[in-house]
Amino acid sequence: MKTCIYPGSFDPITYGHIDIIERASKITDKLIVAVLNNHDKQSLFSVEERLEMIKDSVKGFNNVEVESFEGLLVDYAKSKDSRLIIRGLRAVTDFEYELQMAQTNRELYKDLDTVFLLTNLKYSYVSSSTVKQVAAFDGDVNKFVTPFVADKLMRKYNKHFV
Ligand code: ADP
């Protein structure tokens, strides 16, 4: 059975991520969406909150699992018996960083390959950071995230609930 891992921050999960998950789930037996628990990176949502939002977003896909991990992605991949990492590419600005990561991971674990799925044009401009900026200023985020996530964002910024 082939297992792919889609790692990321997902702070929070957007329709861009969900599009990648949907497409990746079709090309593998099992897809694990893996939230990196990175203590150095400041995130808006806790790992538990991010897991909850991803689980809600992927409930329609029956071969998708959601987990968090700490430490090196290569060690996590080995522990899951996976040799394939999925990442999404939006603009050319993503490329340099993604190339560096993929090459480093391959140096660390020779059998590990990274597969890049090109963004759906509809969501090519969508990122977790811009979604957070829009939400912080009380903008409508419903085009970018699911209603469940939009609600969490609004609560986080204490909009409409104070
Ligand atoms: P990270 O901090 O690891 O980059 P992100 O949650 O920002 O975590 O992104 C995870 C992956 O999803 C990355 O490969 C990123 O390029 C991809 N991604 C994010 N937004 C989109 C989008 N709108 N379309 C396609 N891929 C995306």
Side-chain angles (χ1 to χ4, degrees):
M1 189 166 89
K2 191 165 33 159
T3 301
C4 290
I5 298 174
Y6 178 32
S9 310
F10 306 103
D11 186 38
I13 185 166
T14 68
Y15 282 133
H17 293 125
I18 296 171
D19 181 73
I20 297 287
I21 293 170
E22 181 174 5
R23 286 152 61 204
S25 73
K26 290 180 186 152
I27 56 172
T28 186
D29 299 314
K30 182 163 104 181
L31 179 71
I32 305 177
V33 182
V35 178
L36 174 61
N37 190 355
N38 184 348
H39 301 290
D40 298 338
K41 201 167 164 181
Q42 194 65 32
S43 57
L44 176 67
F45 291 101
S46 68
V47 171
E48 290 69 32
E49 289 172 316
R50 285 181 269 161
L51 288 171
E52 187 193 8
M53 290 184 280
I54 300 171
K55 281 181 186 160
D56 181 77
S57 306
V58 306
K59 54 188 180 210
F61 309 120
N62 52 21
N63 63 339
V64 178
E65 290 178 11
V66 186
E67 285 186 2
S68 66
F69 73 102
E70 287 188 46
L72 288 177
L73 176 60
V74 289
D75 293 332
Y76 177 68
K78 279 180 195 166
S79 77
K80 292 286 152 188
D81 208 14
S82 171
R83 294 170 171 200
L84 218 53
I85 300 299
I86 301 280
R87 294 283 287 177
L89 275 183
R90 282 163 297 189
V92 71
T93 41
D94 279 341
F95 182 75
E96 212 169 322
Y97 171 73
E98 293 292 343
L99 180 72
Q100 205 175 23
M101 286 295 298
Q103 282 175 330
T104 307
N105 285 334
R106 199 136 183 277
E107 254 334 285
L108 294 171
Y109 178 17
K110 288 272 170 291
D111 294 331
L112 191 71
D113 263 308
T114 304
V115 169
F116 294 100
L117 295 185
L118 295 185
T119 182
N120 184 324
L121 273 184
K122 239 166 51 181
Y123 306 122
S124 58
Y125 62 92
V126 178
S127 73
S128 300
S129 14
T130 51
V131 167
K132 282 181 279 193
Q133 281 165 17
V134 173
F137 292 105
D138 209 12
D140 182 4
V141 290
N142 282 291
K143 277 196 179 139
F144 317 126
V145 297
T146 63
F148 185 83
V149 175
D151 181 63
K152 296 274 177 211
L153 275 164
M154 290 304 148
R155 284 172 193 274
K156 192 58 92 175
Y157 290 110
N158 282 321
K159 302 286 159 69
H160 309 310
F161 294 99
V162 284

